[in-house]
Short mmCIF file of all heavy atoms in Angstrom, two decimals:
data_model
loop_
_atom_site.label_atom_id
_atom_site.label_comp_id
_atom_site.label_asym_id
_atom_site.label_seq_id
_atom_site.Cartn_x
_atom_site.Cartn_y
_atom_site.Cartn_z
N VAL A 88 -1.76 7.49 -5.44
CA VAL A 88 -1.02 8.39 -4.56
C VAL A 88 -1.88 8.77 -3.36
O VAL A 88 -1.40 8.79 -2.22
CB VAL A 88 -0.54 9.65 -5.34
CG1 VAL A 88 0.01 10.71 -4.40
CG2 VAL A 88 0.52 9.25 -6.37
N THR A 89 -3.15 9.05 -3.60
CA THR A 89 -4.08 9.40 -2.52
C THR A 89 -4.21 8.24 -1.53
O THR A 89 -4.12 8.43 -0.31
CB THR A 89 -5.46 9.77 -3.09
OG1 THR A 89 -5.31 10.91 -3.93
CG2 THR A 89 -6.46 10.06 -1.99
N VAL A 90 -4.40 7.03 -2.05
CA VAL A 90 -4.52 5.84 -1.19
C VAL A 90 -3.23 5.61 -0.41
O VAL A 90 -3.26 5.31 0.79
CB VAL A 90 -4.91 4.60 -2.03
CG1 VAL A 90 -4.79 3.32 -1.23
CG2 VAL A 90 -6.33 4.75 -2.58
N ALA A 91 -2.09 5.76 -1.07
CA ALA A 91 -0.80 5.59 -0.39
C ALA A 91 -0.65 6.59 0.76
O ALA A 91 -0.19 6.23 1.85
CB ALA A 91 0.35 5.75 -1.38
N ASP A 92 -1.06 7.83 0.53
CA ASP A 92 -0.98 8.85 1.59
C ASP A 92 -1.89 8.48 2.77
O ASP A 92 -1.52 8.68 3.93
CB ASP A 92 -1.34 10.23 1.05
CG ASP A 92 -0.25 10.83 0.17
OD1 ASP A 92 0.89 10.32 0.20
OD2 ASP A 92 -0.54 11.80 -0.55
N ILE A 93 -3.05 7.93 2.47
CA ILE A 93 -3.97 7.49 3.53
C ILE A 93 -3.33 6.38 4.35
O ILE A 93 -3.37 6.40 5.59
CB ILE A 93 -5.31 7.03 2.92
CG1 ILE A 93 -6.09 8.24 2.38
CG2 ILE A 93 -6.15 6.23 3.92
CD1 ILE A 93 -7.28 7.89 1.49
N ILE A 94 -2.72 5.43 3.68
CA ILE A 94 -2.06 4.31 4.37
C ILE A 94 -0.91 4.83 5.22
O ILE A 94 -0.78 4.45 6.39
CB ILE A 94 -1.55 3.25 3.36
CG1 ILE A 94 -2.74 2.58 2.66
CG2 ILE A 94 -0.68 2.21 4.06
CD1 ILE A 94 -2.33 1.74 1.45
N LYS A 95 -0.07 5.69 4.65
CA LYS A 95 1.08 6.23 5.40
C LYS A 95 0.62 6.95 6.66
O LYS A 95 1.21 6.78 7.72
CB LYS A 95 1.92 7.17 4.51
CG LYS A 95 2.75 6.44 3.47
CD LYS A 95 3.61 7.40 2.69
CE LYS A 95 2.88 7.90 1.48
NZ LYS A 95 3.71 8.67 0.54
N ASP A 96 -0.44 7.75 6.54
CA ASP A 96 -0.96 8.47 7.71
C ASP A 96 -1.47 7.50 8.77
O ASP A 96 -1.27 7.71 9.96
CB ASP A 96 -2.09 9.42 7.30
CG ASP A 96 -1.59 10.64 6.56
OD1 ASP A 96 -0.37 10.93 6.61
OD2 ASP A 96 -2.42 11.31 5.91
N ALA A 97 -2.13 6.43 8.33
CA ALA A 97 -2.74 5.48 9.29
C ALA A 97 -1.70 4.63 10.02
O ALA A 97 -1.92 4.24 11.16
CB ALA A 97 -3.75 4.59 8.57
N VAL A 98 -0.58 4.32 9.35
CA VAL A 98 0.39 3.40 9.96
C VAL A 98 1.69 4.07 10.39
O VAL A 98 2.60 3.37 10.85
CB VAL A 98 0.72 2.20 9.03
CG1 VAL A 98 -0.52 1.43 8.66
CG2 VAL A 98 1.48 2.62 7.80
N GLU A 99 1.77 5.39 10.32
CA GLU A 99 3.05 6.05 10.57
C GLU A 99 3.67 5.72 11.92
O GLU A 99 4.88 5.66 12.04
CB GLU A 99 2.93 7.55 10.37
CG GLU A 99 2.15 8.28 11.44
CD GLU A 99 2.11 9.78 11.18
OE1 GLU A 99 2.94 10.30 10.44
OE2 GLU A 99 1.21 10.42 11.75
N ASP A 100 2.87 5.50 12.95
CA ASP A 100 3.42 5.21 14.28
C ASP A 100 3.38 3.73 14.64
O ASP A 100 3.88 3.35 15.70
CB ASP A 100 2.64 5.99 15.35
CG ASP A 100 2.84 7.49 15.20
OD1 ASP A 100 3.94 7.91 14.78
OD2 ASP A 100 1.89 8.24 15.50
N CYS A 101 2.80 2.91 13.78
CA CYS A 101 2.62 1.52 14.18
C CYS A 101 3.07 0.50 13.14
O CYS A 101 2.92 -0.70 13.36
CB CYS A 101 1.15 1.26 14.54
SG CYS A 101 0.00 1.47 13.17
N GLY A 102 3.63 0.94 12.03
CA GLY A 102 4.05 -0.04 11.04
C GLY A 102 4.65 0.57 9.80
O GLY A 102 4.97 1.76 9.77
N VAL A 103 4.78 -0.25 8.77
CA VAL A 103 5.32 0.16 7.48
C VAL A 103 4.41 -0.36 6.38
O VAL A 103 3.66 -1.32 6.59
CB VAL A 103 6.76 -0.36 7.27
CG1 VAL A 103 7.72 0.25 8.27
CG2 VAL A 103 6.82 -1.87 7.33
N ALA A 104 4.52 0.26 5.20
CA ALA A 104 3.69 -0.16 4.08
C ALA A 104 4.49 -0.11 2.79
O ALA A 104 5.40 0.70 2.65
CB ALA A 104 2.46 0.74 3.98
N GLY A 105 4.11 -0.98 1.87
CA GLY A 105 4.77 -1.02 0.57
C GLY A 105 3.78 -1.31 -0.53
O GLY A 105 2.69 -1.83 -0.29
N ARG A 106 4.16 -0.93 -1.73
CA ARG A 106 3.36 -1.23 -2.92
C ARG A 106 3.96 -2.46 -3.56
O ARG A 106 5.13 -2.48 -3.91
CB ARG A 106 3.39 -0.04 -3.87
CG ARG A 106 2.56 -0.25 -5.11
CD ARG A 106 2.53 1.03 -5.94
NE ARG A 106 1.84 0.82 -7.19
CZ ARG A 106 2.11 1.46 -8.31
NH1 ARG A 106 3.06 2.39 -8.32
NH2 ARG A 106 1.44 1.21 -9.41
N ILE A 107 3.14 -3.51 -3.72
CA ILE A 107 3.67 -4.77 -4.23
C ILE A 107 3.24 -5.04 -5.67
O ILE A 107 3.66 -6.03 -6.27
CB ILE A 107 3.33 -5.96 -3.31
CG1 ILE A 107 1.83 -6.14 -3.14
CG2 ILE A 107 4.02 -5.77 -1.96
CD1 ILE A 107 1.45 -7.41 -2.38
N GLY A 108 2.45 -4.18 -6.23
CA GLY A 108 2.03 -4.30 -7.61
C GLY A 108 0.83 -3.43 -7.86
O GLY A 108 0.08 -3.13 -6.94
N GLY A 109 0.63 -2.96 -9.07
CA GLY A 109 -0.53 -2.18 -9.46
C GLY A 109 -1.18 -1.43 -8.31
O GLY A 109 -0.66 -0.44 -7.80
N ASP A 110 -2.33 -1.94 -7.88
CA ASP A 110 -3.08 -1.32 -6.79
C ASP A 110 -3.00 -2.14 -5.51
O ASP A 110 -3.82 -1.97 -4.62
CB ASP A 110 -4.54 -1.14 -7.21
CG ASP A 110 -5.23 -2.46 -7.49
OD1 ASP A 110 -4.63 -3.33 -8.15
OD2 ASP A 110 -6.38 -2.64 -7.05
N GLU A 111 -2.02 -3.02 -5.42
CA GLU A 111 -1.89 -3.89 -4.25
C GLU A 111 -0.82 -3.36 -3.30
O GLU A 111 0.28 -3.02 -3.72
CB GLU A 111 -1.52 -5.31 -4.70
CG GLU A 111 -2.62 -5.93 -5.55
CD GLU A 111 -2.15 -7.17 -6.29
OE1 GLU A 111 -0.94 -7.34 -6.50
OE2 GLU A 111 -3.02 -7.95 -6.68
N MET A 112 -1.19 -3.32 -2.03
CA MET A 112 -0.30 -2.81 -1.00
C MET A 112 -0.09 -3.87 0.07
O MET A 112 -0.96 -4.72 0.29
CB MET A 112 -0.90 -1.57 -0.33
CG MET A 112 -1.53 -0.57 -1.25
SD MET A 112 -0.38 0.24 -2.36
CE MET A 112 -1.51 1.24 -3.32
N LEU A 113 1.04 -3.81 0.72
CA LEU A 113 1.37 -4.70 1.82
C LEU A 113 1.64 -3.82 3.03
O LEU A 113 2.42 -2.87 2.95
CB LEU A 113 2.60 -5.53 1.46
CG LEU A 113 2.91 -6.77 2.26
CD1 LEU A 113 1.75 -7.76 2.22
CD2 LEU A 113 4.15 -7.45 1.70
N ILE A 114 0.98 -4.13 4.14
CA ILE A 114 1.12 -3.34 5.36
C ILE A 114 1.56 -4.27 6.48
O ILE A 114 0.98 -5.34 6.67
CB ILE A 114 -0.22 -2.67 5.73
CG1 ILE A 114 -0.75 -1.83 4.55
CG2 ILE A 114 -0.08 -1.82 6.98
CD1 ILE A 114 -2.20 -1.43 4.67
N PHE A 115 2.59 -3.87 7.21
CA PHE A 115 3.08 -4.66 8.34
C PHE A 115 2.90 -3.81 9.58
O PHE A 115 3.58 -2.79 9.76
CB PHE A 115 4.54 -5.05 8.15
CG PHE A 115 5.03 -6.08 9.12
CD1 PHE A 115 4.45 -7.34 9.21
CD2 PHE A 115 6.11 -5.80 9.94
CE1 PHE A 115 4.92 -8.29 10.11
CE2 PHE A 115 6.59 -6.75 10.84
CZ PHE A 115 6.00 -8.00 10.92
N VAL A 116 1.95 -4.21 10.42
CA VAL A 116 1.61 -3.45 11.62
C VAL A 116 2.27 -4.13 12.80
O VAL A 116 1.98 -5.27 13.13
CB VAL A 116 0.07 -3.37 11.81
CG1 VAL A 116 -0.27 -2.58 13.05
CG2 VAL A 116 -0.58 -2.76 10.57
N GLU A 117 3.19 -3.40 13.45
CA GLU A 117 4.00 -3.98 14.53
C GLU A 117 3.66 -3.42 15.91
O GLU A 117 3.75 -4.13 16.89
CB GLU A 117 5.48 -3.68 14.28
CG GLU A 117 6.00 -4.22 12.99
CD GLU A 117 7.42 -3.77 12.75
OE1 GLU A 117 8.34 -4.49 13.19
OE2 GLU A 117 7.60 -2.70 12.14
N ASN A 118 3.37 -2.19 15.98
CA ASN A 118 3.26 -1.53 17.27
C ASN A 118 1.81 -1.27 17.67
O ASN A 118 1.41 -0.14 17.89
CB ASN A 118 4.06 -0.23 17.26
CG ASN A 118 5.52 -0.47 16.99
OD1 ASN A 118 6.10 -1.40 17.54
ND2 ASN A 118 6.11 0.32 16.13
N VAL A 119 1.04 -2.34 17.74
CA VAL A 119 -0.33 -2.25 18.25
C VAL A 119 -0.45 -3.20 19.43
O VAL A 119 0.20 -4.25 19.47
CB VAL A 119 -1.39 -2.57 17.18
CG1 VAL A 119 -1.44 -1.49 16.12
CG2 VAL A 119 -1.17 -3.93 16.55
#
Side-chain angles (χ1 to χ4, degrees):
V88 169
T89 298
V90 169
D92 286 345
I93 289 167
I94 293 168
K95 286 183 271 190
D96 287 344
V98 303
E99 71 179 340
D100 294 327
C101 64
V103 295
R106 181 174 175 211
I107 60 173
D110 62 316
E111 297 165 339
M112 317 294 177
L113 196 58
I114 305 165
F115 191 60
V116 180
E117 301 174 90
N118 300 316
V119 292

